DNA sequence: GCCAACGTTGGC
DNA sequence: GCCAACGTTGGC
């Protein structure tokens, strides 16, 4: 069992949006490293920190889990979508995704608070210049975040 | 809106 | 395959 942090812009898909659905396809990832995590490393049942990015309060906003293995992201074939990729074909899809099942909304755990915690000092999302929208989280970091969320 | 960081593109 | 130019991300 592995753990992940996954960024979503709440104006596009918030934790509330995700909770309103049985599961949500994590569409729109257009970075190879993030894609490879979904395609190669994620397993059904892996833990996910649902993170709100590019918003007033960038923060962990909920807990979710991986709910499917990887399959092609349909938005890459949709010319009307902002995620359209003209170089991708259904025969050899470039972008894959997994379904994510939101489990619960949490209090907002912001970056500043996370930075005050020594146990989280190596979290990739806290690194300067970190832009990767999906990052692995260690089991120790996961446990610490769960502890903080309960406070 | 600024800008640092970093990924991608394309000429050579 | 190098690397400069360019585009994007995302916190601030």
């Amino acid at each position: 069992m592995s753990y992940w942090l996954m960024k979503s812009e709440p104006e596009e898909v918030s934790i509330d949006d995700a909770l309103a659905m049985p599961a949500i396809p994590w569409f729109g990832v257009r970075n190879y490293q993030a894609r490879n995590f979904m395609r190669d490393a994620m397993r059904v049942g892996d833990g996910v920190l649902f993170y709100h990015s590019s918003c007033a309060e960038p923060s962990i906003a909920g807990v979710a889990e991986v709910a499917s293995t990887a399959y092609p992201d349909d938005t890459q074939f949709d010319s009307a979508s902002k995620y359209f990729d003209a170089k991708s074909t259904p025969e050899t899809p470039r972008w894959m995704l997994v379904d994510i099942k939101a489990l619960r909304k949490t209090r907002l755990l912001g970056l500043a608070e996370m930075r005050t915690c020594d146990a989280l000092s190596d979290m990739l999302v806290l690194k300067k210049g970190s832009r990767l929208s999906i990052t692995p989280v260690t089991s120790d970091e996961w446990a610490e975040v769960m502890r903080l969320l309960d406070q």
Side-chain angles (χ1 to χ4, degrees), chain A residues 5 7 51 111 115 123-135:
Chain A
L5 181 143
K7 296 181 186 175
Y51 178 91
L111 293 176
R115 287 201 173 94
M123 272 193 84
L124 294 172
V125 73
L126 300 182
K127 301 280 185 190
K128 189 179 179 188
S130 165
R131 296 188 307 167
L132 197 56
S133 65
I134 299 175
T135 48

Side-chain angles (χ1 to χ4, degrees), chain A residues 88-116:
Chain A
S88 186
T89 66
E91 292 71 33
T92 55
R94 178 179 292 193
W95 304 110
M96 308 288 281
L97 54 67
V98 296
D99 289 341
I100 295 297
K101 176 181 172 58
L103 298 177
R104 66 186 173 99
K105 192 174 180 175
T106 64
R107 75 179 180 91
L108 296 181
L109 175 55
L111 293 176
E113 183 180 354
M114 293 168 70
R115 287 201 173 94
T116 66

